[in-house]
Amino acid sequence: MYITASTYGGIDWHDSRTIHEQLRNNGSFNIRAEQIPETIADDIAKDFPYVENIRNKVLQALSEKSCFQFMIKSEEKDAAGNVTYKDCGTHEADGQTYYEDEATFDGEKQTLTRDYAFGQVSYITKYYVEDIPYNQLGYIVTEDFLAPVKGVPLVQRLYHDIFDDPDAAQHYADNLRLHDLRYPKSIVTFLVCNRQEVSGQPWYQNEKEAMRLMTEKGQAYLDDSFCIFTKSHVENLKKLPAKEAV
């Protein structure tokens, strides 16, 4: 089994972005079914070390398909450089206390929601569990542009076909040069994928066409013909003369 954590959010739809992360258990992407709850719990617990028994609370919520809420604290350092955590603000209304910053984990939906500024800014992380047949297992590395324009949370660009070997994919990811753009920000994303499903997606076919044209025209993804949006990049490439044979 394989688990992808997908996080979406921002101040509003204009700047909201999506980030994908492939989870591991003991260094392995291939996670046994009985390890899924602990893998999700560990992923959440690492970001909220100040919440008492948070790992057990996540496991309980997953088991019971229930929800629990907790305060999000801000990290600070004292005069000695030690990390401390400061409580957020609160608001009292109708006999209830509301946290300025709080999180909710829904065990049934396997979803973590983080709300800031009394809900004005939200981030939602959804944990997707997928069983991929061994003969369809692949590894994909993309440059992901986060919120490149208003209303577009993510643009994924592919410069290398699906890898068979996870170590080769990781080496490629570790050495992939990102575009030197101040905005939008881009990141390297490494994901396990179902080769058959991905190869049938229009997104993948568009990326393959861009890669084919880059080879034909003697272009690299860092050249001036590049455009964040694949269709525009393809149009730019089509206008270039073909690479002369050596």
Side-chain angles (χ1 to χ4, degrees), residues 9-229:
I11 296 175
D12 60 23
W13 67 273
H14 291 90
D15 73 341
S16 290
R17 62 190 194 179
T18 300
I19 297 176
H20 301 299
E21 180 185 4
Q22 194 72 41
L23 301 191
R24 300 175 188 249
N25 186 291
N26 292 323
S28 175
F29 294 115
N30 190 359
I31 300 167
R32 298 196 305 271
E34 65 270 19
Q35 294 176 321
I36 290 172
E38 67 181 56
T39 304
I40 295 174
D42 287 341
D43 187 61
I44 295 173
K46 76 180 191 310
D47 292 328
F48 305 100
Y50 48 83
V51 179
E52 185 176 2
N53 296 324
I54 185 170
R55 189 176 184 277
N56 289 337
K57 290 176 180 177
V58 172
L59 291 173
Q60 183 177 354
L62 288 167
S63 175
E64 299 177 352
K65 300 188 183 303
S66 59
C67 297
F68 77 94
Q69 295 177 306
F70 56 92
M71 175 192 293
I72 298 176
K73 299 183 179 183
S74 57
E75 183 177 306
E76 297 181 342
K77 288 188 178 180
D78 60 21
N82 299 314
V83 174
T84 61
Y85 297 97
K86 180 181 177 181
D87 289 355
C88 66
T90 59
H91 174 69
E92 302 286 341
D94 301 324
Q96 290 187 322
T97 300
Y98 298 91
Y99 297 129
E100 182 177 6
D101 305 323
E102 73 172 11
T104 303
F105 180 70
D106 186 326
E108 181 177 11
K109 297 180 180 179
Q110 297 185 170
T111 298
L112 175 71
T113 302
R114 290 172 289 151
D115 290 318
Y116 298 89
F118 295 111
Q120 294 184 68
V121 181
S122 294
Y123 295 92
I124 301 173
T125 300
K126 173 69 176 178
Y127 293 91
Y128 294 96
V129 180
E130 184 179 12
D131 186 12
I132 304 175
Y134 181 77
N135 64 347
Q136 294 300 328
L137 190 61
Y139 307 88
I140 199 163
V141 178
T142 59
E143 180 179 18
D144 290 0
F145 293 89
L146 309 180
V149 296
K150 293 180 178 180
V152 178
L154 175 70
V155 171
Q156 293 180 286
R157 291 305 310 268
L158 183 71
Y159 314 126
H160 190 289
D161 207 352
I162 300 170
F163 288 88
D164 297 318
D165 178 26
D167 292 334
Q170 189 63 64
H171 178 76
Y172 178 81
D174 292 340
N175 292 279
L176 180 64
R177 284 182 57 194
L178 299 175
H179 285 84
D180 187 17
L181 303 173
R182 292 186 178 181
Y183 189 84
K185 178 182 179 182
S186 70
I187 61 174
V188 177
T189 297
F190 179 113
L191 295 174
V192 178
C193 72
N194 184 313
R195 184 184 300 274
Q196 183 176 25
E197 291 184 3
V198 169
S199 61
Q201 294 176 4
W203 165 80
Y204 175 80
Q205 294 166 4
N206 289 336
E207 296 302 316
K208 286 285 288 183
E209 175 64 6
M211 287 190 287
R212 184 190 71 78
L213 284 169
M214 279 191 280
T215 299
E216 179 183 306
K217 306 292 186 175
Q219 290 282 300
Y221 73 97
L222 292 171
D223 288 336
D224 291 340
S225 65
F226 181 81
C227 180
I228 291 174
F229 291 92

